[in-house]
Amino acid sequence: MFKHILIPTDGSKLSEAALRAGMQFAKEQDSQVTVLYVMPDYAALMYSGEAMMTYNTSDLNKDAERTADKVLQAVQDIARAEGVYCRTARAMNASVHKAIIHQAEESHCDLICMASHGRKGIAGILLGSETQRVLVNSHIPVLVHRPVVKE
């Protein structure tokens, strides 16, 4: 039995499906839920490496915060509809998987429930997988929700 489940979301349809599945699972387990939205750290992304750019990231950060607010409000609506109490959190980090693992540890979660695109081959290599990175780097169990593929 899991006591506290972390569900990361990016607001996409795939992420929403994992969110709903995670909420249903939490309800069945009588678990607490924390939903995390990770905002990109534009300053870290733009100022890293050799190409130091002088760019004001405040507008980008404000837009990221508005998006986070919108997504997390939708999360609360879904949680209410499912009858699940849900805390929300947001983090700014250039490394999504590190933010997910950190939040799970800080919240004392004993399960991470997240979506996976299920990309294989060259697409998986080129696009990477935050889910794969969480799986490899987290000591907390990860439940991966894969979309139903219609053939």
Side-chain angles (χ1 to χ4, degrees), residues 35-90:
V35 176
L36 173 67
Y37 182 89
V38 180
M39 300 176 292
D41 184 351
Y42 292 109
L45 295 172
M46 290 184 177
Y47 300 136
S48 64
E50 296 176 18
M52 292 279 285
M53 299 172 62
T54 53
Y55 190 85
N56 184 351
T57 59
S58 65
D59 288 339
L60 295 171
N61 290 338
K62 286 177 187 173
D63 185 55
E65 288 174 8
R66 280 191 297 272
T67 300
D69 290 342
K70 181 180 172 185
V71 169
L72 293 175
Q73 180 56 55
V75 164
Q76 289 291 0
D77 295 342
I78 291 168
R80 239 184 325 279
E82 294 290 335
V84 175
Y85 174 76
C86 165
R87 290 184 21 229
T88 59
R90 60 181 173 174

Side-chain angles (χ1 to χ4, degrees), residues 119-137:
R119 292 186 182 106
K120 295 181 179 142
I122 196 74
I125 293 168
L126 293 176
L127 297 174
S129 168
E130 293 303 330
T131 304
Q132 182 65 31
R133 290 181 186 104
V134 171
L135 284 165
V136 169
N137 293 290

Side-chain angles (χ1 to χ4, degrees), residues 100-101 104-105 108-112 134-135 137-142:
I100 291 168
I101 294 167
E105 290 171 348
H108 305 287
C109 295
D110 50 1
L111 180 69
I112 300 170
V134 171
L135 284 165
N137 293 290
S138 177
H139 67 276
I140 299 168
V142 180

Side-chain angles (χ1 to χ4, degrees), residues 6-25:
L6 177 73
I7 308 173
T9 186
D10 62 6
S12 67
K13 290 291 182 191
L14 176 66
S15 185
E16 182 181 330
L19 174 73
R20 288 181 184 277
M23 293 273 185
Q24 289 173 355
F25 184 70

